[in-house]
Amino acid sequence: MPEAEPEPRRESDPAEPPEVLDRPLPEGVRRRVVGIAAEAFGNLTFAELPAQLRQYARFTPARRAKFAATALAAALESDPVFRQRMAARLRQAQPDLAEALDAGTVPAAADPLDVAAAAYLLRPPGWTKQVAAAGDEAERAQSERANEEVARELEQVREELAALRASTRADTDRARADLEAVRKENESLQRKLRSAVSDVKRGEAAVRKAAAELDAARSAAALERTAADSEARRLRTRLSEVESALEASRRAAREGRSVEDMRLRLLLDTVLDAAQGLRRELALPPTTERPADTVDAVTPGQMTPKDIAHRALSEDDPALLDQLLALPQAHLVVDGYNVTKTGYPTMPLEKQRLRLLGGLAALAAQSGAEVTCVFDGADLEAPVLLAPPRGVRVLFSKAGETADELIRRLVRAEPPGRPVVVVSADREVADGVRRAGARPVASTLLLKRLTRG
């Protein structure tokens, strides 16, 4: 059988007015009262609970203290019966404290908040003073804790301020040292700048002197050239005179004047020797140009791969490749995987290479052209073991380089004017080699030519 609930104690004589708090219940006391009520809440039956608290009947004490705190405080204040039931549960839980309050004494070691909460529920004579005293004590303790916290924070701020001042002094000292170093460096730079300005001025003076000397040399050269031109004109005049004298001597010789002929011959030898000496002195080179070289006209040239494109063959006719390879010293460069993946992509790479190289060997033997086949080797884990067929050069691109880049380097390595034909379906490769002077053709054209045999 459940234990019988003790009879609620009469709080005071009905003739005496009940004691009433003259200020709100202190917050610390209020929390203790709500906690006691939340613990004792579960010992009441559903009918004994006030209507506003029945919705919290299934809550745990912790949840009741959290969610029903306001409702519990209001019920304890407004419902004396509910409060007396809570006081009865308190008497059962803390009989020593209840007896001490009834006797008007307070245990010295008891928590003031516990004493105030018990006094609020039990309502012994003078309970309002006990509650007020507990509130004052709690406020005083909270104020002391706050003062201690403020003191700790103030001490921490003082320590941080001292550290900040020390750091600021260190930063200031470093800044002053840096400033002094910058000042010294600035003075050094200014000295170097003044030295550099002096060097520049000396250099400018030397340049002006050299320019003056160059002008003087040019003037002297111009004078010498003018003198040489004058001497050349004089010699031309003298040569004309000699030629005239020679002609006269010839006429005189024809007339039998042998003495005059001898004199003229001697004069002619003298003039010719003077002309040869002048030619050696002026270092006149022998003339190599002819009047016909000055006539503007079109000279015949050699046929190039670009000329083949304008003939009566379509771009997909295999005969076009035969004509290109028939050019003197033609070089055929093949983008290997571009051709094999266009013609037979389902075969393994090794068989693709062997099939293409076999066809290129036959084409090289038929045309006599130089043939180079380029494969992309950038992603290979190991070198490919391959014996190139006769007449075909096989190259793999290095790590970090694509076959397209290797093809462009091969084209750039050829001398200008040599017929170079590049087989690739890549538009970027075709445009690049065309700008370098090579003739691009499609991969399908080579495949048709190899199929024809």
Side-chain angles (χ1 to χ4, degrees), residues 34 73 75 87 115 147 165 173 187 191 202 209 220 249 255 267 274 331 334-335 358 411 427 429:
V34 169
V115 174
N147 291 336
R165 286 176 176 172
D173 294 340
E187 293 176 353
R191 288 193 297 270
R202 286 194 295 271
K209 182 179 179 182
S249 67
E255 295 174 357
L267 180 60
H331 184 187
V334 181
D335 189 350
V411 173
R427 174 65 62 183
V429 174

Side-chain angles (χ1 to χ4, degrees), residues 122-137:
L122 298 174
R123 301 291 175 93
W127 66 274
T128 57
K129 295 180 181 179
Q130 294 176 345
V131 171
D136 295 339
E137 181 65 19

Side-chain angles (χ1 to χ4, degrees), residues 52 104 204 223 256 371 407 443 452:
Q52 67 271 26
E204 290 176 349
L223 292 175
V371 179
I407 291 173
S443 299
R452 192 185 68 185

Side-chain angles (χ1 to χ4, degrees), residues 139-209:
E139 290 179 358
R140 184 186 62 77
Q142 183 177 4
S143 176
E144 290 179 354
R145 287 193 297 272
N147 291 336
E148 292 175 358
E149 183 67 22
V150 169
R152 285 195 299 271
E153 292 179 356
L154 181 59
E155 183 63 25
Q156 183 178 359
V157 168
R158 287 175 177 171
E159 293 176 356
E160 293 178 355
L161 180 59
L164 182 60
R165 286 176 176 172
S167 175
T168 303
R169 284 194 298 271
D171 292 342
T172 303
D173 294 340
R174 284 195 299 270
R176 288 175 179 172
D178 294 341
L179 181 60
E180 182 65 20
V182 169
R183 186 182 62 79
K184 293 181 180 178
E185 184 178 0
N186 185 29
E187 293 176 353
S188 175
L189 290 176
Q190 287 180 353
R191 288 193 297 270
K192 292 180 180 178
L193 179 60
R194 288 193 293 271
S195 176
V197 170
S198 300
D199 293 341
V200 169
K201 290 181 179 179
R202 286 194 295 271
E204 290 176 349
V207 168
R208 288 194 295 270
K209 182 179 179 182

Side-chain angles (χ1 to χ4, degrees), residues 3 42 68 70 80-81 107 126 135 203 221 242 251 295 331 335 354 360 444:
E3 184 179 354
T70 304
V81 176
V242 171
R251 286 195 300 268
V295 179
H331 184 187
D335 189 350
L354 294 176
L360 291 177
T444 55

Side-chain angles (χ1 to χ4, degrees), residues 18-64:
E19 297 183 22
V20 180
L21 285 173
D22 56 355
R23 57 182 176 179
L25 191 65
E27 182 61 25
V29 179
R30 179 179 175 277
R31 284 196 299 269
R32 295 294 176 89
V33 170
V34 169
I36 294 172
E39 289 289 339
F41 194 93
N43 296 326
L44 300 180
T45 63
F46 189 79
E48 292 174 341
L49 292 174
Q52 67 271 26
L53 297 179
R54 291 176 180 176
Q55 57 181 327
Y56 306 108
R58 297 181 179 274
F59 282 25
T60 61
R63 293 189 64 199
R64 279 195 294 267

Side-chain angles (χ1 to χ4, degrees), residues 210-255:
E213 293 176 353
L214 179 61
D215 292 340
R218 287 176 177 173
S219 300
L223 292 175
E224 292 178 358
R225 186 181 303 162
T226 302
D229 292 341
S230 300
E231 182 67 17
R233 285 194 298 270
R234 188 184 66 78
L235 291 175
R236 290 193 194 101
T237 303
R238 181 61 177 162
L239 182 59
S240 299
E241 294 175 355
V242 171
E243 289 176 349
S244 300
L246 179 60
E247 183 64 25
S249 67
R250 286 176 180 173
R251 286 195 300 268
R254 286 192 297 267
E255 295 174 357

